[in-house]
Amino acid sequence: MSISENLLRKYAELIVRTGVNVQPGQTVLLTVSVEQHAFAALIIEECYKAGAKKVNVDWTFDAYSRLNYLYADTETLSTVLPWEKEKLSQMVEDLPCRIFIVSDDPDAMSGIDPAKLSEVAQCRGKVVKLYRNAIEGKHQWVIAAYPSEKWAKKCYPDSENAVDQLWRAILTTVRVTEENDPVEEWKAHSEFISKKAAWLNDQGFASLRYRSVNGTDFTVELIPGAKWEGASAVNSKNGASYIPNMPTEEIFTSPLAGKCEGTLVAVKPLSYNSQLIDNFSITFKDGRAVSCRAEKGQELLEKMIHMDEGAAMLGEVALVPKESPVNQFGLFYATLFDENACCHCALGMGFKEVLPDGDNLTMEQAREMGINDSIIHVDFMIGAEDLSIDGVRPDGKAVPIFRNGSWAE
Ligand code: ZN
C-alpha cells in the first residue's frame, strides 16, 4: 500500500473526532472487515485517545458471508439467536458510538439467489429493527470507507493500481490531504451545509420545480413542516454533534408521497443489484412512476419500480451542487459516495426523521403525514450541468434555489 502513515492517521482521527465525535467515557462499537485490521487498529487507538471507555469490534468478512449464503439454509440464516439478542440488548443499554468502515466488494453476493438474500435481510431486519429503533437519535454514528482490492477493481477494472486510485478518490472526497487540517475544513463544510439547510427551512417551500434541457421537467410537493437536513446530526441523549456520512455533500428531505408530476432524466448510471441501468428517465403522474425508459437495464428498472406499493413513489429529494468533489470521479458502486455526486431523488422509503418529533413516530404515523414507505430506497442522479430548481412558497412566489447545477446564491 502506497498511502502514507500520516494520511492514514489523519483519516482515522477525522473519522473518530469529527465523524462520530467520541466523548470521554463513551463505549465504541466498530464494524469493520477483517481485511482492514491494520486500519481498525488505528481507529481503535484514536478512540481511546479521545477518551473512549472501551472499544468493541464486530468483524465482517465478505467471503464468510458469501459462503454462509451458499451453504446454510434460509431459515438458519434468518434466525437471530438468543446470544445475538443479548448483544443487541447490551447495545441498547450502552448506547455506543458506532463506526462503520465499508470496504465491501460490490459483487460479493453476485450469483446468490436474490430471494434468499432479501428473505434473510427481512427476517433478521424485523428483529434487529426493534433494537435499532431503541437507540435511534440517542447515539452517535458514522459510516466511512476503506478501499478493498475487489472494490477498487470494480471501480477501475483496467487499472494496474486500482487501490491507489480508489484511495485518491476517497481521500479527495473526505477532504484529507498531506498538508491540510481536515478537522478545520470539515467544520467550514458542515457549517456551510447547515446554513443552506436553515435557509431552506426558513423559506418553507410548498413545492420544487426542476428544469433542464436534457428533458427534466418536474414538480414535487413537500410536506408542510418537514425539515431539510444535512451533514451533521445531534445525539439527543448527550448533545454531542456528529457527521453520519463521510463524505457528505447533500441537503435532503422527504417529499409528500404521491404528489409529483413530470419527468426526471438521470445524468449518471445507476448500479442496482450489481447490474447497471444507464441513460434512463422516469415519468411520474399523480405522484407515481407511470413509465420509464432506459437504454440499458430497462427490464431491471421496471422491476425495481414495481417492487412494492411504495417503490413507484419518491422518498427523498436531495440538493448537491455540481462542484461536489465526488462528481469528478466515476461510479463508486457505493451509495455513500454515489449519492453525493450531484442532485438526486430516491424511489422508495422516506425518512420519518425529517418530520417534527419524527424519531418518536411510528412508520404508520409517518406514512399518514406523507412519508413514503417501501422496502427499497434507490437514489438516482439528476444533477445536470444546467439544472435549475425553483422553490415555490405557499403564497405562490417562486424563489431560485439552483441555477446551472449549483446554488443560485
Ligand atoms: Zn440522499
Side-chain angles (χ1 to χ4, degrees):
M1 188 176 57
S2 66
I3 182 163
S4 75
E5 174 81 17
N6 175 47
L7 272 176
L8 275 179
R9 281 239 169 243
K10 269 176 129 168
Y11 184 34
E13 192 182 344
L14 181 72
I15 291 167
V16 171
R17 301 276 175 169
T18 302
V20 80
N21 190 14
V22 172
Q23 302 293 300
Q26 282 193 302
T27 303
V28 178
L29 178 56
L30 168 65
T31 304
V32 61
S33 165
V34 289
E35 292 171 67
Q36 269 57 264
H37 56 87
F39 188 60
L42 284 183
I43 296 266
I44 292 164
E45 191 175 1
E46 288 301 331
C47 289
Y48 279 124
K49 281 201 219 158
K53 180 173 146 195
K54 174 77 205 297
V55 183
N56 296 313
V57 184
D58 270 350
W59 296 103
T60 64
F61 185 27
D62 276 348
Y64 171 55
S65 309
R66 186 182 171 80
L67 288 166
N68 282 337
Y69 277 98
L70 272 179
Y71 290 101
D73 62 56
T74 304
E75 203 196 320
T76 305
L77 293 175
S78 300
T79 310
V80 182
L81 294 165
W83 69 264
E84 294 178 275
K85 289 184 186 166
E86 198 58 43
K87 197 171 153 185
L88 288 162
S89 298
Q90 189 66 46
M91 180 179 76
V92 174
E93 199 174 304
D94 290 347
L95 296 171
C97 289
R98 299 195 69 183
I99 302 174
F100 302 87
I101 303 298
V102 297
S103 58
D104 314 13
D105 168 11
D107 294 329
M109 294 297 174
S110 71
I112 304 283
D113 178 11
K116 187 171 185 180
L117 283 168
S118 82
E119 195 179 337
V120 172
Q122 267 182 46
C123 288
R124 294 189 62 86
K126 249 185 244 155
V127 180
V128 174
K129 204 166 184 261
L130 300 173
Y131 299 91
R132 232 186 257 154
N133 287 347
I135 65 169
E136 184 74 57
K138 296 182 206 146
H139 75 301
Q140 300 126 254
W141 54 276
V142 65
I143 307 176
Y146 190 102
S148 67
E149 220 168 297
K150 283 187 173 151
W151 178 20
K153 266 282 168 213
K154 174 84 180 177
C155 299
Y156 304 99
D158 303 320
S159 173
E160 289 284 291
N161 44 9
V163 172
D164 285 351
Q165 263 179 287
L166 185 53
W167 254 129
R168 199 178 67 83
I170 290 173
L171 291 177
T172 302
T173 62
V174 297
R175 298 170 151 80
V176 176
T177 68
E178 289 282 359
E179 298 80 29
N180 78 345
D181 178 349
V183 173
E184 274 306 306
E185 244 174 76
W186 269 87
K187 220 163 139 190
H189 176 52
S190 148
E191 269 164 23
F192 176 83
I193 290 182
S194 300
K195 233 174 63 193
K196 288 293 183 194
W199 176 77
L200 286 164
N201 288 328
D202 277 352
Q203 294 292 315
F205 292 125
S207 65
L208 303 178
R209 234 162 39 195
Y210 293 74
R211 299 270 186 288
S212 161
V213 291
N214 71 8
T216 285
D217 185 356
F218 180 75
T219 307
V220 58
E221 287 182 35
L222 301 177
I223 301 172
K227 291 268 173 283
W228 289 89
E229 292 185 3
S232 66
V234 174
N235 177 348
S236 66
K237 198 85 181 168
N238 62 3
S241 72
Y242 61 101
I243 305 218
N245 290 332
M246 295 185 126
T248 185
E249 301 290 331
E250 61 167 2
I251 298 176
F252 63 92
T253 190
S254 285
L256 191 51
K259 294 284 180 186
C260 63
E261 296 293 329
T263 298
L264 288 170
V265 178
V267 296
K268 293 197 183 248
L270 165 65
S271 169
Y272 179 67
N273 285 351
S274 295
Q275 291 170 73
L276 271 198
I277 302 169
D278 202 3
N279 286 327
F280 65 99
S281 64
I282 304 174
T283 298
F284 296 82
K285 203 173 171 348
D286 297 325
R288 305 185 65 88
V290 288
S291 68
C292 59
R293 253 195 7 219
E295 262 173 38
K296 191 176 173 187
Q298 173 80 28
E299 217 173 293
L300 189 62
L301 182 58
E302 279 171 19
K303 216 169 133 190
M304 183 183 100
I305 288 170
H306 295 111
M307 191 67 115
D308 61 17
E309 193 53 26
M313 294 193 280
L314 292 183
E316 178 189 359
V317 291
L319 305 173
V320 182
K322 67 182 178 191
E323 292 82 10
S324 159
V326 179
N327 209 11
Q328 61 190 286
F329 301 103
L331 270 194
F332 282 79
Y333 299 94
T335 306
L336 177 63
F337 294 86
D338 293 329
E339 75 158 351
N340 282 302
C342 56
C343 284
H344 60 271
C345 295
L347 285 166
M349 174 91 131
F351 310 113
K352 65 185 172 80
E353 297 77 24
V354 303
L355 296 174
D357 200 29
D359 280 339
N360 294 317
L361 297 176
T362 63
M363 200 56 214
E364 183 83 81
Q365 292 168 318
R367 237 186 345 239
E368 271 166 34
M369 296 173 74
I371 298 285
N372 192 29
D373 192 11
S374 169
I375 57 165
I376 68 161
H377 176 98
V378 182
D379 302 272
F380 58 100
M381 304 301 122
I382 52 145
E385 282 287 312
D386 71 323
L387 180 67
S388 75
I389 306 173
D390 281 343
V392 182
R393 293 214 290 245
D395 62 10
K397 188 179 184 311
V399 179
I401 301 175
F402 263 54
R403 285 295 178 268
N404 291 314
S406 308
W407 293 102
E409 291 183 22

